[in-house]
Amino acid sequence: MIKFTPILLAILYGLVMYRFSAWRTAKQLDAQSTELADPKLKALMDRMAAALELPRIRVHIYEIDPVNGLAAPDGRIFITRGFYKKFRAGEVTDEEMASVIAHEMGHVALGHSRRRMIDFSGQNALRTALAMVLGRFIPGVGPWIAGILTSLLAARLSRSDEYEADAYAAALLTKAGIGVAPQISLFRKLDALTQQNGGTIPAWLLSHPKTDDRIAALEALESKWVTTD
């Protein structure tokens, strides 16, 4: 029983962290967000809602400066104030912003937003358990190895989710008559748009595939759909 105590403690820690992280994220978003009310974006959101046979799509503005979009564990969709400012300044088009919203809708529809919170807590639990176990056999180096292993796992999970959400958004945008081009053009702007990000974003939102790889995947999808038609 004593041998399994570190693992049991790690599992308990993971459960507590999940509850706390979900509560803290919801409180932070409630306190720092307002519903998006922009006529140009609403017109595109209505087209996407019609494509999904939904009455409407609700999006909120999260009052932080970094350029990002996110899907909360409770299913709400947000774009940051920093991203919206880029749109208002003309650096991002309305269709490119719609592609961000479609991407975050993909995370919600595919269950990524809730699973990511669980993954984040589970990764903390796994890191703690591994650090305890490896620390006994490799003092000093064990916790470092545990950190590397769990970080690699987190990156792999995140990259998979991003590709899936990209594909969902591409299908939705195509069905709504917007097309895949805004996704691709936005990806080509991302490095410049996010170069001077400030503030903080939850760690489970940061890992993304390489931009060129995401563009290539979208182009392959678009080519496949055109060939099929």
Side-chain angles (χ1 to χ4, degrees), residues 168-228:
Y168 178 97
L172 173 55
L173 292 166
T174 298
K175 188 175 182 180
I178 299 169
V180 178
Q183 277 181 287
I184 295 174
S185 62
L186 180 63
F187 282 148
R188 291 188 172 129
K189 296 178 181 179
L190 276 181
D191 287 343
L193 289 172
T194 60
Q195 193 171 28
Q196 296 182 342
N197 269 358
T200 59
I201 295 282
W204 45 277
L205 292 172
L206 292 177
S207 296
H208 290 75
K210 292 181 180 178
T211 301
D212 289 344
D213 292 342
R214 296 175 78 177
I215 291 174
L218 287 173
E219 289 176 337
L221 269 179
E222 188 175 30
S223 176
K224 179 180 177 181
W225 290 338
V226 170
T227 302
T228 302

Side-chain angles (χ1 to χ4, degrees), residues 33-201:
S33 67
T34 54
E35 187 168 352
L36 172 66
D38 186 287
K40 290 182 68 178
L41 294 179
K42 183 180 183 302
L44 291 174
M45 288 157 57
D46 286 345
R47 287 168 61 180
M48 291 192 291
L52 293 171
E53 299 182 354
L54 295 174
R56 62 176 296 200
I57 294 172
R58 295 182 64 182
V59 179
H60 296 78
I61 295 183
Y62 184 21
E63 299 291 345
I64 60 173
D65 289 331
V67 172
N68 213 334
L70 63 96
D74 60 11
R76 288 181 294 170
I77 296 167
F78 298 82
I79 57 173
T80 62
R81 176 63 69 179
F83 216 152
Y84 187 64
K85 285 180 180 178
K86 298 290 186 182
F87 164 68
R88 295 288 293 174
E91 297 179 53
V92 177
T93 70
D94 51 348
E95 292 188 336
E96 288 170 343
M97 189 62 75
S99 77
V100 177
I101 294 169
H103 176 89
E104 300 307 329
M105 290 178 66
H107 282 311
V108 173
L110 298 171
H112 297 162
S113 52
R114 183 174 294 276
R115 193 183 77 207
R116 279 182 174 193
M117 183 66 78
I118 296 172
D119 287 344
F120 177 58
S121 303
Q123 288 153 22
N124 278 336
L126 179 61
R127 182 182 293 107
T128 301
L130 283 174
M132 289 178 177
V133 174
L134 292 176
R136 293 185 177 186
F137 298 99
I138 319 173
V141 182
W144 178 71
I145 295 175
I148 291 177
L149 291 175
T150 49
S151 294
L152 289 172
L153 172 63
R156 182 173 182 178
L157 289 170
S158 182
R159 284 195 296 270
S160 175
D161 285 356
E162 294 304 320
Y163 282 123
E164 289 179 4
D166 285 348
Y168 178 97
L172 173 55
L173 292 166
T174 298
K175 188 175 182 180
I178 299 169
V180 178
Q183 277 181 287
I184 295 174
S185 62
L186 180 63
F187 282 148
R188 291 188 172 129
K189 296 178 181 179
L190 276 181
D191 287 343
L193 289 172
T194 60
Q195 193 171 28
Q196 296 182 342
N197 269 358
T200 59
I201 295 282

